[in-house]
Amino acid sequence: MTEHGVVGFTGPDRPDAAIYDTCIRCGLCLPSCPTYLETMTETSGPRGRISLIKAVGESRLDLLSPGFVEQMWECLDCRACEAACPSGVHYGQLIETARAQIQRVKSSEQAPRSGRLRRFALQTLFSRLDLMRTAAVLLRLAQQTRLTAFAGLVGAARAAQLAPKISREFFVPRDQHYAAAEPHGTAFLHAGCIMQVAFAGVHRATVRMLRHGGLNVVVPSGQGCCGGIALHAGEMEFARELAKRNIEAFERSAADVYVVNAAGCGSALKEYGELFAADGDWAERAAHFSKRVRDVTEVLDALDLGAPARGLDAVVTYQDPCHLAHAQRVSGAPRRLLGQIPQLRLVEMEESAVCCGSAGIYSLTQPEMAARLQRRKIEAVIRTAATVVATANPGCAMQLAAGLRDAGYRAGVKHVVELLADAYAPES
Ligand code: SF4
Ligand code: SF4
């Protein structure tokens, strides 16, 4: 025990020494790290954070020392460093387990009340999607009556500003089955949490495109939240509870592929195998499940879509969601798909793969850094003169829309699959 009382990592879900010892301190990851680019400070970059994790792992630094805790939460968990690292340091494992260690100690010993309250709020919202839908109905009412203008009075101005426009009709998983004309397989559609209430149109566009490509689509009711937000918040046990639902729902469905259209969810779903690696009962099922998860752009890129029914007259720039480009290493498929739409001019923005500052609930927990990264991204968008910003993740869409609004720049924000559906399978 030292000044703050906790030395080293303990219990399950520890940062793996075999991973942090792989770092050769070359610094090649630094130019990819958004917080390093903004601060030019060693501790605000991946190499500095890995050193801090190693120091705690070797009991040279307290787990709850302010500098360590601050850096574990200033990191966006965007994984850009991981994609850039020539030594193959699996940084995502390090940051997520370091946070899990902090959260476990905080909620059990140091600050039991606030820790438990936070956990309760997280668990209620993401395991009870019926409650999330009720909250979304109330938010939609507030948005329609412009009551959100008063959010500042109750200290929720930032949340109201970032909140997505709630969909008129939700997309709730209720064992729907959408048949393709000449099917050659069946896709399980992951409905997610926020996607069902605020991006229902993206799900409908996904169904249209998958059917157009010859896949039946099923939306089983037993599925739920992917657990990504819980993972990033250091709540690994809760993430495992959520993951089990999706694994079981997919096994019951007998679908060929598990399709996801939210990059953050896709990354979490593809890593269930690692999440359960030490669990004898679930390891094999989780690994089998993860092998069948695909982002919708990967699926569509591999299908014969034929020629689009119509072109789209737009200047489009594509924002790489971190958890698609870095965690899943998917960046070519969305661009290839957009490039096939007649009249659409695809213009690359600078730093497309640098995080926009959304990163799950980061824009709420680290508002200053999130706002800096948001401005950096919007300036890059404006330089392209785009009329549409395409992306593939709800968090990015919300952050981009709010940033464009603040900057007074008129451009739409669309999911790639919405643009594809407009061109290939327009609604009659
Ligand atoms: S690129 Fe990899 S090995 Fe080099 S400093 Fe970054 S994490 Fe370490
Ligand atoms: S995950 Fe992102 S923010 Fe965190 S250290 Fe790596 S590049 Fe930087």
Side-chain angles (χ1 to χ4, degrees):
M1 299 289 247
T2 61
E3 188 193 344
H4 298 285
V6 187
V7 173
F9 298 122
T10 54
D13 296 326
R14 303 177 196 203
D16 189 343
I19 298 178
Y20 55 68
D21 282 338
T22 313
C23 174
I24 53 169
R25 302 191 50 76
C26 65
L28 288 175
C29 51
L30 298 181
S32 311
C33 174
T35 54
Y36 181 80
L37 288 174
E38 279 294 316
T39 62
M40 289 296 175
T41 306
E42 176 69 13
T43 47
S44 282
R47 186 172 59 185
R49 291 185 179 122
I50 292 169
S51 294
L52 290 172
I53 292 170
K54 182 176 165 73
V56 175
E58 294 173 352
S59 302
R60 291 182 281 111
L61 183 68
D62 288 323
L63 177 70
L64 295 185
S65 59
F68 182 71
V69 173
E70 184 191 327
Q71 278 309 327
M72 293 307 101
W73 294 105
E74 191 195 75
C75 171
L76 295 137
D77 195 5
C78 72
R79 317 266 294 263
C81 49
E82 194 175 306
C85 176
S87 294
V89 174
H90 186 4
Y91 181 85
Q93 195 275 350
L94 295 181
I95 190 73
E96 285 164 16
T97 48
R99 288 176 178 178
Q101 291 279 321
I102 293 169
Q103 283 316 118
R104 188 179 320 124
V105 173
K106 275 196 162 181
S107 53
S108 64
E109 294 168 24
Q110 305 285 321
R113 198 143 169 256
S114 63
R116 279 178 204 148
L117 259 176
R118 177 183 174 279
R119 182 168 290 169
F120 176 76
L122 198 70
Q123 295 191 352
T124 305
L125 202 57
F126 291 100
S127 63
R128 292 282 314 272
L129 293 183
D130 54 334
L131 292 181
M132 179 177 280
R133 288 193 287 270
T134 304
V137 169
L138 295 174
L139 177 57
R140 183 172 57 199
L141 192 65
Q143 287 174 339
Q144 285 167 348
T145 54
R146 301 198 179 278
L147 272 176
T148 43
F150 297 103
L153 298 177
V154 291
R158 183 79 187 145
Q161 192 190 17
L162 284 171
K165 189 164 181 292
I166 299 299
S167 304
R168 213 150 20 103
E169 276 179 49
F170 297 165
F171 189 98
V172 182
R174 291 200 177 102
D175 297 317
Q176 299 96 317
H177 185 286
Y178 303 94
E182 290 177 25
H184 50 80
T186 298
F188 179 121
L189 177 58
H190 178 75
C193 48
I194 195 89
M195 290 293 295
Q196 15 177 314
V197 298
F199 296 90
V202 175
H203 281 331
R204 283 190 269 275
T206 302
V207 170
R208 274 154 58 205
M209 281 309 296
L210 292 171
R211 290 177 70 203
H212 177 84
L215 294 177
N216 291 328
V217 183
V218 292
V219 197
S221 56
Q223 61 175 304
C225 169
C226 67
I229 297 273
L231 265 180
H232 293 190
E235 300 291 348
M236 297 190 100
E237 272 317 309
F238 178 47
R240 288 188 182 99
E241 272 174 44
L242 295 173
K244 286 177 185 173
R245 284 192 208 175
N246 294 323
I247 294 170
E248 287 171 336
F250 184 53
E251 288 172 349
R252 281 195 301 268
S253 76
D256 306 296
V257 58
Y258 192 104
V259 178
V260 57
N261 53 21
C265 304
S267 159
L269 293 157
K270 284 183 178 179
E271 291 178 357
Y272 280 180
E274 289 173 35
L275 190 61
F276 287 98
D279 183 327
D281 294 334
W282 282 85
E284 204 180 315
R285 288 169 76 179
H288 183 78
F289 170 89
S290 285
K291 278 190 203 135
R292 276 153 187 78
V293 177
R294 295 285 182 280
D295 184 76
V296 64
T297 59
E298 290 179 279
V299 175
L300 295 176
D301 190 39
L303 292 172
D304 179 6
L305 299 174
R310 65 180 191 194
L312 298 178
D313 185 10
V315 180
V316 178
T317 192
Y318 175 67
Q319 143 72 14
D320 281 292
C322 301
H323 282 85
L324 194 57
H326 308 313
Q328 300 183 55
R329 313 286 164 95
V330 175
S331 57
R335 289 177 168 84
R336 275 192 297 277
L337 288 162
L338 289 172
Q340 284 161 21
I341 301 177
Q343 292 168 265
L344 185 152
R345 277 151 292 153
L346 190 59
V347 184
E348 284 294 332
M349 72 170 91
E350 293 157 34
E351 298 187 342
S352 167
V354 170
C355 182
C356 63
S358 172
I361 54 171
Y362 188 90
S363 44
L364 297 176
T365 58
Q366 304 280 328
E368 197 206 325
M369 181 59 78
R372 286 167 69 173
L373 292 169
Q374 186 187 44
R375 276 196 297 276
R376 189 179 181 109
K377 179 64 62 184
I378 296 304
E379 283 163 13
V381 169
I382 292 172
R383 284 195 291 274
T384 65
T387 54
V388 175
V389 188
T391 190
N393 189 53
C396 308
M398 285 153 59
Q399 183 83 339
L400 288 162
L404 291 168
R405 223 172 23 242
D406 287 352
Y409 184 78
R410 289 169 68 87
V413 179
K414 295 274 186 188
H415 192 292
V416 171
V417 84
E418 289 180 290
L419 295 170
L420 293 171
D422 276 356
Y424 285 91
E427 281 174 311
S428 43

